[in-house]
Each structure stands twice: as structure tokens, then as C-alpha cells.
Amino acid sequence: MFRQSGLFRANQEMAERLMDTMDLEKERGITIAAKNCSVVWKGIQINIIDTPGHADFGGEVERALSMVDGAILLVDASEGPLPQTRFVLKKALEAGLKIVVVINKIDRSDARPYEVLNEIYDLMIDLGADDEQIEFPLLYAVGRDGIAMKDLDQGSRDLHLLMDMILEEIPGPRHDPEAPFQMLVSDLGYSDYVGRLAIGKVFNGSARDKDSLVCLNAKNQSIPLKVTKLQVYEGIKLKDVDQVRPGDIAVLAGIEEVTIGDTICNSQTRQALPRINVDEPTVSMTFTINHSPFGGKEGKYVQSGRIHERLRKETLRNVSIQVEEAPDREGIVVKGRGEFQLAILIETMRREGYEFCVGRPEVILHYEKNKILEPVEQLLVDCEERFLGVVTEKLSLRKGKMINLVNNGKGRVRMDFSIPSRTLIGYRDEFLTDTRGTGLMHSIFDGYEEYRGDCISRFTGSIVSDRTGHAVPYALYNLEPRGRLFVLPGDLVYEGMIVGEHNRGNDIDVNPCKEKKLSNMRASGRDENVILTPIKLPTLEQAISFIRDDELLEITPLSIRMRKAVLLYQQRRNLSRLTKKEADSSIKNE
Ligand SMILES: Nc1nc2c(ncn2[C@@H]2O[C@H](COP(=O)(O)OP(=O)(O)OP(=O)(O)O)[C@@H](O)[C@H]2O)c(=O)[nH]1
Ligand SMILES: [Mg+2]
């Protein structure tokens, strides 16, 4: 669209995935934050917001919906609607938006556009779309090549149909010509020159540079402001303007104390627009300072004040993240939509130089009339038929209930499950191993249901170092049969640090620093004959889902280490004896 609307010269170099500007987005090939841009087509400015597809970033969709008059629903011609498609479509329908459906990637060899179209109809009906919404305008596309067409056999060389369709089908901004200026803040930015930027759609009226306005916050207080700079999006860049009008996505400087959801308006008529509606968080993780033996050595920002301040700052832009002090005042509880969202936050902070510890992600339970309710996800699994057995078995162990199974007769099956968010944490890796990397799984929060019972999070124990020192090849070689190792020769380890995953269910304490005894035949104690099996170090996400309740994750800009919460072997042993005694006595009492 950028190229075809003339934003770039025909032969100008253009990066792939131009909108995915964050490092993490580029590295992972996914969109994490919603971003604004615009194109001009036939003399009309079309403001576009690109939203993430991944379920954990749903807050971005909710934020983006407050700025738009319509939505383009992009569905993969082979995958069809996924759980997250249902989520975004539901939100868009609830907002009463006009929807244009684009079935993309019709060039794929496994594309099944007609079936996918039927699935979209089913989904619309299921979500209670009205007659008008069900008669959605439809295009087929090869987004990568910039082609869109009305019929599959029609052929096309460009996206002109799509851009025309946007002008025809999606209503222009509606506004009250009499009403004074009103803008809803849907995003925040920052500029080194002018400070904080409030970004959002102008609903009514117009504003000019140097105007005196007010910002109405959540407490309905009005904070006066003077506009110091006004901008709008031109392509993916910002352009200075001296006036903004209804329908513009304005970028306004001149106020520091502003949060997402606030209304910026005229100081005479102070009327707030409805605040942005955001779903509740379902997962929480506790962040503390890193008090491990090597703590504070690798990070730039290590004090709890700095960590707290950074987390608070995150809540300003990231509407679905909440932060509060832990009940025991030991650390900060961070709440979000899923462990992946929190992993992205952790990775971002780590790269900024922060160092801290986090505990195992926990789901947020609700309590209602003597009942415990837990978040439940809708899970879609697509895998080869031969893995059906192992997948269903693992999911039923995790308290999943199968809702639907479709065999397409081509060797793959699709299954829908309802499964607690709690037991799904950490399953993705196991699923990829079980399906030899060929399985697809997508899940999305589907509401709260009665607690489905306890479930073991991991069937293996941890291999724990019993001392401080450098790991040596000889010792690691001898540990290999015990399980999967997480440290390399030369790595520093400490007492209580997890150096591997034990094959069996219990934890074992080992000495990874044990050198081979010197024999009188050889002068040096080097382990020249030892050849270690290459290991794959756990990624951040794997480490997050690996740790159990009595374990922590140490995050620094340079390392990710797993550790027992209680480091000293003797203390841990005493503690486990104590809890065993308690358990025994409670059984006796019963
Ligand atoms: N075969 C084929 N591949 C496409 C087409 N359009 C996009 N792709 C590829 O699909 C992959 C994902 O593209 P993205 O643009 O990142 O998809 P997205 O929907 O923005 O993903 P999220 O923002 O993470 O939800 C890239 O590797 C694209 O090259 C198409 O029409 N045909
Ligand atoms: Mg994207």
C-alpha cells in the first residue's frame, strides 16, 4: 500500500515488514505493538493502524479500536480463522465497525480459500454479527506481492481494489460540526525535543498549535496544557501541521501528565469521551531485586526503585499491564495477558540494562461464592494425524477438554480444546517436540471457569549445583546421563543454581566443578578426553515456563540463570522435611 500509493518511488529500497520497527519485532518476525501510519489514495488520507495478531498482545487491539472507523480482517488462506481472529473480530463487531475481509496468501500451495471463507461466515454468525456485517465486502490477496482481487480467477497486479474498497466501504470520520475540540488519547510517545506526546483520534472540532486546552484524566480532573507541537502521520513518519481536524490521528506535545484513555479538549466545554475498555489481566509474575550470589554485577539498573519505576512506566503505554506491590512488600507483582507478553517485557528490560529476579508465572484466580474460578483458554491445535494420540494424551493430563476434531483427510487434524491457562504454561515447547516441530497451536483467553483441579507443572526435577565455582567438562560429562544440562564448561555456578533438568521427578544436588583426580601418569588435570554432547541453552520463554514455585529466574543483561528460591542445600532439606512432616500429620489428622 505504501508503494502503490506513491509514498515510495517505484525503485526505492523498502525494508520488509516496515511497520515492525522494534528490535524484538524484527528478530521474532511478529508484531508486538500497534502502530499508526497513513497513505493517501485518490486524494483522501487513509489512517491505518497495524495491530499484532498474537493473543497476548490483545491490549494493543483494544487500544487501536478506539482510533478507527473500520477494520480489515486479514485471514490466512491456509490457516483460516484462528482463536485470536475470533477475539479481534468480536471486539471489532462490538465496536460496531464496518469490516472488510481479506483472505491473504492465496498463493500458498495449501491454500483453501473457499473453505476459509465458509469458516469466516461461521465465525461471524457465531459472534452474532448482524445482517449487514455478514454481507462483508471480500477480497483475496497475495499481500507479499501487493495483489488483491475480487474473484480467485480474476487475476490482478495491484492493491487498487483494496484501497478503493476502503474508500467505498469504510465510513469517513463522523463528527458533530458544532462541537468543540475533543481528542481521545490512545497512545503515548516521547520525543527528546518536545517531551511526552499524546497520540489519538480527533473526534470533534479542531485544534491549532499554541492553543490552550485541558486534559481530562480518569479522576475527571482537568489539567491545563498548551500545545507546543502538532503532528500527523505521513506514511510511517510524522509531519508537522498547524491544525488538526476530526478524523486526524493527532500527535500532540505540550503535556507531561497524560495517560491513555484521557480526553484532551477545549477548556470551556470539558466533556470526556468514553475511556478505552481493556480486558482484565490473567497472569501475574513477581519481580524482585536480584539477591543471588552474583547479583548486581552485570546490570546497569539493579535497585528495586529503578525496577519499580521502569515497570510503572510500562503501564503508561501498555494498557494491559498492571503493576502493584507484592502483598509481603517483597517485590512487585506484574500482571498481564499471558506469559509471552511478560516474557517480552522481561526481554525488553534486560536489553535496557535492568537486572532482577522473577518467579513462576501464576494465573490470576477469582473467588466467587465458595468457588475458585480460573482463566480458561480456547486452544486450536493443528498437527499431523500420527501425533493425534500423544497430543490428546498430554492435553488431557493438563485438564484439557476436546471440543471438536476435524480430519481434513490429507493427513492433518485440527482440534479445539478448552484448557486452563495455568496448565498450558510451558506446553508449547513440549508440543513442538512431540510433533517434531510440525504442529501449530494457537490459544486465547476464553473466560473464567471453575478450577479444574491440581496438575503437576513439570514431571522432571532440577539438577542443582551444591557449591560455587566454575563448571568443568569432566563433571559435566558425568552428569550428562542424569538429564539435560544448562551450563557450559567454564560457566560460573553457585550453590542452589539449577544446572540442568533431572530425568526423574526429584531434585538432585551435584558438584559440577569436580575435577578428574590427577593420576601419576599425566602431568595436568585437563579433561582432554572428554567430549561433551552439545547443549541447547533454554531461551527466556523456556526458562520462564521451566521454573517451579520454589524456583526463581535471575535475569541480567548478560545471563539468564535458574535457581532455587532457597539456595543452601541444608536449608532446603530441612524445609522439605518440615513440609513432609506437616503433610504426614495432616493426613493423620484427617
Ligand atoms: N506466501 C505468502 N506469504 C506471505 C504473504 N503475505 C505475507 N506473507 C508472509 O507471511 C509472514 C508473516 O508476515 P507478517 O506481515 O509479519 O504477518 P502479520 O500478520 O503482520 O503477523 P503478526 O503481526 O505477528 O500477527 C512473512 O514471512 C510474509 O512474507 C502472501 O501473500 N503469501
Ligand atoms: Mg504484523
Side-chain angles (χ1 to χ4, degrees):
M1 289 172 88
F2 286 146
R3 198 184 279 292
Q4 294 181 22
S5 64
L7 200 66
F8 291 87
R9 277 174 283 116
N11 56 356
Q12 195 175 344
E13 200 52 46
M14 208 179 116
E16 213 189 298
R17 292 212 199 86
L18 199 62
M19 298 294 290
D20 293 338
T21 46
M22 292 160 55
D23 284 346
L24 278 175
E25 294 181 320
K26 287 207 188 81
E27 282 165 31
R28 292 171 185 249
I30 54 164
T31 303
I32 294 170
K35 282 171 225 75
N36 291 78
C37 64
S38 79
V39 296
V40 175
W41 187 243
K42 300 192 170 160
I44 294 174
Q45 172 155 348
I46 306 172
N47 290 319
I48 304 172
I49 304 161
D50 177 38
T51 57
H54 195 286
D56 279 31
F57 310 120
E60 292 297 295
V61 175
E62 288 153 356
R63 190 164 70 71
L65 286 180
S66 64
M67 287 183 261
V68 301
D69 300 295
I72 298 177
L73 184 73
L74 208 58
V75 184
D76 185 306
S78 151
E79 290 176 343
L82 299 172
Q84 56 266 40
T85 318
R86 186 188 183 89
F87 167 84
V88 291
L89 183 59
K90 182 163 172 258
K91 297 264 166 194
L93 291 174
E94 278 167 5
L97 297 179
K98 177 80 190 204
I99 292 167
V100 172
V101 173
V102 177
I103 298 182
N104 191 32
K105 305 195 193 179
I106 52 168
D107 61 308
R108 280 180 66 155
S109 59
D110 53 354
R112 41 183 196 97
Y114 294 122
E115 269 168 69
V116 166
L117 178 58
N118 277 331
E119 288 169 17
I120 299 171
Y121 278 123
D122 289 347
L123 182 60
M124 288 264 185
I125 292 167
D126 210 32
L127 291 174
D130 59 37
D131 290 351
E132 200 195 332
Q133 284 167 324
I134 282 182
E135 281 171 32
F136 50 82
L138 169 74
L139 289 177
Y140 298 94
V142 185
R144 204 183 40 195
D145 303 342
I147 295 172
M149 59 196 91
K150 275 216 165 81
D151 294 303
L152 282 172
D153 45 17
Q154 189 189 34
S156 165
R157 282 194 307 204
D158 50 43
L159 287 173
H160 295 186
L161 275 175
L162 174 64
M163 297 194 272
D164 287 341
M165 195 174 261
I166 292 172
L167 296 191
E168 280 159 28
E169 300 286 347
I170 293 179
R174 270 161 295 206
H175 70 283
D176 175 357
E178 305 293 307
F181 181 71
Q182 248 185 340
M183 156 183 168
L184 180 67
V185 180
S186 305
D187 195 3
L188 298 177
Y190 188 82
S191 142
D192 287 336
Y193 304 105
V194 287
R196 180 159 316 286
L197 304 170
I199 304 165
K201 182 169 137 185
V202 177
F203 278 74
N204 289 308
S206 69
R208 287 175 175 279
D209 201 8
K210 309 280 182 303
D211 268 2
S212 292
L213 302 172
V214 294
C215 173
L216 301 177
N217 65 15
K219 293 177 193 143
N220 216 10
Q221 294 159 326
S222 47
I223 304 157
L225 74 116
K226 183 157 184 134
V227 182
T228 56
K229 200 178 184 60
L230 263 186
Q231 293 168 297
V232 295
Y233 288 90
E234 186 177 60
I236 48 168
K237 300 205 186 87
L238 290 173
K239 171 178 86 170
D240 287 0
V241 287
D242 42 47
Q243 190 178 17
V244 287
R245 297 184 189 85
D248 277 339
I249 305 291
V251 182
L252 180 152
I255 179 160
E256 286 300 314
E257 278 176 77
V258 55
T259 54
I260 292 179
D262 290 356
T263 299
I264 294 180
C265 60
N266 199 299
S267 56
Q268 285 92 50
T269 33
R270 301 176 183 195
Q271 206 172 29
L273 292 159
R275 294 188 79 83
I276 296 171
N277 230 332
V278 181
D279 286 352
E280 287 292 303
T282 53
V283 177
S284 77
M285 259 169 118
T286 305
F287 286 47
T288 56
I289 55 168
N290 184 9
H291 31 57
S292 311
F294 308 151
K297 292 204 176 109
E298 297 174 343
K300 219 164 39 174
Y301 311 114
V302 299
Q303 307 91 338
S304 77
R306 292 305 285 268
I307 299 167
H308 207 148
E309 189 187 303
R310 173 63 184 80
L311 289 168
R312 285 234 178 275
K313 207 178 109 199
E314 185 66 26
T315 60
L316 287 180
R317 273 208 72 179
N318 207 331
V319 289
S320 57
I321 295 251
Q322 293 177 10
V323 166
E324 58 196 48
E325 201 161 2
D328 54 3
R329 314 190 101 233
E330 284 276 317
I332 305 137
V333 180
V334 181
K335 298 179 177 174
R337 291 283 181 83
E339 77 276 14
F340 183 49
Q341 186 193 19
L342 296 179
I344 293 289
L345 171 61
I346 291 170
E347 182 63 33
T348 310
M349 287 176 63
R350 178 165 110 91
R351 290 181 185 203
E352 290 168 2
Y354 287 85
E355 175 173 338
F356 47 94
C357 268
V358 296
R360 184 183 158 71
E362 283 173 52
V363 297
I364 298 170
L365 300 174
H366 286 180
Y367 299 90
E368 200 179 78
K369 293 187 211 131
N370 308 328
K371 268 195 206 152
I372 306 177
L373 305 180
E374 67 172 335
V376 171
E377 316 251 327
Q378 187 201 347
L379 169 72
L380 176 108
V381 172
D382 182 318
C383 68
E384 288 175 31
E385 212 174 338
R386 61 192 170 120
F387 303 125
L388 178 89
V390 55
V391 171
T392 45
E393 188 194 322
K394 291 272 175 80
L395 286 172
S396 80
L397 273 177
R398 289 173 184 261
K399 315 272 176 197
K401 292 183 198 158
M402 193 193 285
I403 308 285
N404 192 18
L405 185 151
V406 183
N407 191 330
N408 67 4
K410 290 180 197 140
R412 283 186 86 88
V413 286
R414 250 176 182 238
M415 293 172 276
D416 287 304
F417 288 87
S418 150
I419 184 166
S421 312
R422 163 179 60 102
T423 62
L424 203 54
I425 294 177
Y427 176 64
R428 185 173 298 273
D429 255 1
E430 216 173 298
F431 171 75
L432 285 176
T433 314
D434 289 345
T435 61
R436 315 263 151 84
T438 62
L440 298 169
M441 69 176 257
H442 297 273
S443 64
I444 191 140
F445 171 64
D446 194 32
Y448 271 82
E449 278 184 25
E450 192 163 356
Y451 190 74
R452 292 202 192 159
D454 292 341
C455 172
I456 296 173
S457 68
R458 162 156 67 90
F459 295 93
T460 55
S462 302
I463 304 177
V464 183
S465 173
D466 67 357
R467 69 198 63 208
T468 300
H470 288 277
V472 297
Y474 175 71
L476 295 180
Y477 181 76
N478 286 317
L479 286 174
E480 274 182 3
R482 311 297 289 272
R484 170 182 171 209
L485 296 181
F486 302 149
V487 289
L488 296 165
D491 279 356
L492 258 177
V493 297
Y494 54 81
E495 181 173 2
M497 177 169 150
I498 299 171
V499 296
E501 176 175 11
H502 189 203
N503 289 335
R504 306 242 198 114
N506 60 320
D507 288 357
I508 45 168
D509 289 79
V510 301
N511 176 7
C513 315
K514 189 173 172 185
E515 302 266 4
K516 189 173 180 177
K517 286 252 165 52
L518 294 186
S519 78
N520 49 10
M521 295 296 289
R522 213 180 292 162
S524 86
R526 278 191 288 142
D527 316 298
E528 49 249 283
N529 294 328
V530 168
I531 298 172
L532 291 172
T533 315
I535 54 168
K536 247 173 102 187
L537 295 175
T539 60
L540 174 64
E541 283 113 289
Q542 285 166 346
I544 287 176
S545 52
F546 180 83
I547 55 169
R548 290 192 295 209
D549 291 341
D550 63 339
E551 296 169 345
L552 296 173
L553 205 57
E554 206 189 317
I555 316 273
T556 85
L558 302 180
S559 352
I560 297 170
R561 301 190 196 94
M562 292 178 254
R563 52 162 281 186
K564 301 304 288 183
V566 178
L567 291 180
L568 302 183
Y569 170 65
Q570 200 57 45
Q571 271 183 22
R572 252 183 294 133
R573 216 169 61 151
N574 294 346
L575 210 70
S576 75
R577 277 204 195 126
L578 219 73
T579 40
K580 193 162 175 297
K581 240 189 219 159
E582 267 171 26
D584 286 348
S585 67
S586 73
I587 290 170
K588 268 186 213 138
N589 290 344
E590 275 171 24

